């Protein structure tokens, strides 16, 4: 059995020291938002408790679907690189970028440099995304939907060339008999994907790739809430699951911090996948089992 954990939207705090000149761009509006709201809604001690609980599950692979930082300050990438090391070695932790990780032009390159092998895997060519991590009979395919946007816009983009590489990977991995998990930061279904300010341009390309080649599971973050949807695949519906922010403070009005545990194992000609969601409640300080359901 392979135990895969999914968490997202870490928003590691507190903000490190910075020069005033580093705010002379979109970061200024993000800093004001942090000061007025996010610093209260997203708490480091909440994240620490959630990660400790997650570690008790002894996961084989931890999937982090973006937004590790807040303003894409250079010091934030160094801070989150140290935090990633506390999760585990890069061989057991796979990271993709979120919109906050590429807040300004050039930030993605800084993230790639700081996070190194945590945000790398097998690729088809020189393009870094999608990358693949294989563990046992499970293959995680990490996509990138994060691009710099103007102030007050948090939407993503999925391009035709990445869609082609995704479809190619999924076909190959399917032919080899892997349980295929696709991870992307932005939502890919419904009104959430269509929202011009927070959604995903090119979501139709992502859905077409999945419909053509198939997958067993799609994971995303970005919305700071747990979601449950599906996509059409060549052999039936494919679960699409989002997860709340890993640092969300329920006492502040934010959705309570949560993570998903997937227990995946071979079952005859197919696979069994059991989802268990753990997280905080609106009242109390304990992390509890929120639900348990068989996906396949």
């Amino acid at each position: 059995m392979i135990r895969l954990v999914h968490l997202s939207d870490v928003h590691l705090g507190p903000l490190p020291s910075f020069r005033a000149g580093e705010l002379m761009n979109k970061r200024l509006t993000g800093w004001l938002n942090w000061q007025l709201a996010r610093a209260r809604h997203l708490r480091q001690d909440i994240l620490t408790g959630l990660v400790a609980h997650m570690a008790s599950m002894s996961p084989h692979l931890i999937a982090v679907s973006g937004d590790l930082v807040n303003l894409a300050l250079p010091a934030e990438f160094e801070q989150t690189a140290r935090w990633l090391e506390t999760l585990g070695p890069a061989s057991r932790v796979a990271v993709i970028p979120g919109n906050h990780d590429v807040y300004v032009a050039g930030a993605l390159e800084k993230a790639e440099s700081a996070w190194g092998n945590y945000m790398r895997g097998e690729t088809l060519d020189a393009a870094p995304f999608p990358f693949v991590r294989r563990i046992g009979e499970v293959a995680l395919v990490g996509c990138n939907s994060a691009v710099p946007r103007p102030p007050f816009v948090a939407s993503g983009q999925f391009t035709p060339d990445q869609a082609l590489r995704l479809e190619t990977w999924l076909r190959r991995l399917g032919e080899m008999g892997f349980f295929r998990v696709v991870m992307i930061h932005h939502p890919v279904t419904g009104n959430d994907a269509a929202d011009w300010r927070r959604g995903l341009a090119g979501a139709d390309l992502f859905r077409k790739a999945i419909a053509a080649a198939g997958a067993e599971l799609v994971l995303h973050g970005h919305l700071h809430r747990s979601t449950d949807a599906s996509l059409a695949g060549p052999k039936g519906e494919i679960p699409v699951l989002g997860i709340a922010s890993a640092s969300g403070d329920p006492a502040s009005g934010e959705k309570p911090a949560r993570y998903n545990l997937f227990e995946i194992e071979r079952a005859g000609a197919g696979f069994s996948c059991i989802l268990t969601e753990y997280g905080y409640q609106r009242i109390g300080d304990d992390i509890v089992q929120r639900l348990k359901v068989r996906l396949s």
Side-chain angles (χ1 to χ4, degrees):
M1 176 189 293
I2 298 298
R3 291 183 297 277
L4 168 68
V5 160
H6 175 217
L7 68 158
S8 192
D9 297 271
V10 171
H11 293 287
L12 194 67
L15 288 182
S17 300
F18 55 85
R19 301 187 308 274
E22 291 178 308
L23 295 188
M24 296 299 102
N25 46 38
K26 181 181 178 178
R27 291 190 184 118
L28 178 59
T29 57
W31 178 80
L32 289 171
N33 186 32
W34 176 265
Q35 295 296 110
L36 295 173
R38 282 185 178 259
R40 297 191 305 275
H41 294 169
L42 304 171
R43 286 172 37 195
Q44 180 66 43
D45 59 322
I46 292 286
L47 172 64
T48 299
L50 192 78
V51 167
H53 191 278
M54 177 197 73
S56 72
M57 300 296 164
S58 300
H60 297 98
L61 184 61
I62 300 169
V64 187
S65 56
D67 276 5
L68 279 70
V69 306
N70 298 286
L71 306 181
L73 293 162
E76 283 188 287
F77 293 119
E78 299 171 9
Q79 179 177 295
T80 47
R82 294 190 295 271
W83 178 79
L84 284 170
E85 291 176 355
T86 69
L87 286 188
S91 60
R92 294 200 304 109
V93 182
V95 176
I96 59 170
N99 56 292
H100 280 263
D101 304 319
V102 301
Y103 217 53
V104 294
L108 178 59
E109 291 75 15
K110 290 182 173 61
E112 289 174 325
S113 175
W115 299 342
N117 289 335
Y118 286 96
M119 200 161 67
R120 295 185 187 130
E122 298 177 74
T123 58
L124 293 174
D125 49 35
F129 300 98
F131 67 76
V132 171
R133 297 285 193 90
R134 310 187 205 195
I135 182 163
E137 294 185 287
V138 175
L140 177 71
V141 185
C143 300
N144 177 27
S145 60
V147 290
R149 292 297 197 199
F152 310 110
V153 179
S155 60
Q157 184 175 19
F158 194 73
T159 58
D161 58 327
Q162 192 173 175
L164 179 59
R165 292 193 295 272
L166 173 61
E167 182 176 338
T168 301
W169 261 128
L170 291 175
R171 288 190 187 280
R172 290 185 183 182
L173 293 167
E175 290 167 358
M176 289 185 282
F178 280 92
F179 184 98
R180 299 159 297 174
V181 182
V182 182
M183 179 169 64
I184 190 168
H185 180 69
H186 288 80
V188 296
T189 63
N191 292 334
D192 289 323
D195 184 343
W196 70 271
R197 196 173 72 86
R198 288 178 53 80
L200 179 62
D204 57 328
L205 298 174
F206 181 92
R207 293 191 294 263
K208 287 176 183 177
I210 296 291
E216 281 62 57
L217 183 61
V218 176
L219 307 177
H220 70 85
H222 189 57
L223 300 177
H224 287 215
R225 67 177 191 270
S226 297
T227 60
D228 178 5
S230 63
L231 284 177
K235 297 182 180 180
E237 295 296 300
I238 298 166
V240 179
L241 301 174
I243 193 66
S245 166
S247 56
D249 176 16
S252 72
E254 183 82 2
K255 298 295 184 183
R258 290 173 186 163
Y259 71 88
N260 280 337
L261 169 68
F262 301 93
E263 297 174 294
I264 304 163
E265 62 183 335
R266 175 68 67 176
F271 288 91
S272 165
C273 178
I274 297 175
L275 158 67
T276 309
E277 183 188 76
Y278 294 97
Y280 291 91
Q281 300 281 70
R282 284 293 182 192
I283 299 175
D285 298 323
D286 294 332
I287 296 173
V288 302
Q289 179 180 309
R290 294 277 305 162
L291 64 85
K292 188 168 187 174
V293 61
R294 181 179 293 275
L295 299 178
S296 61

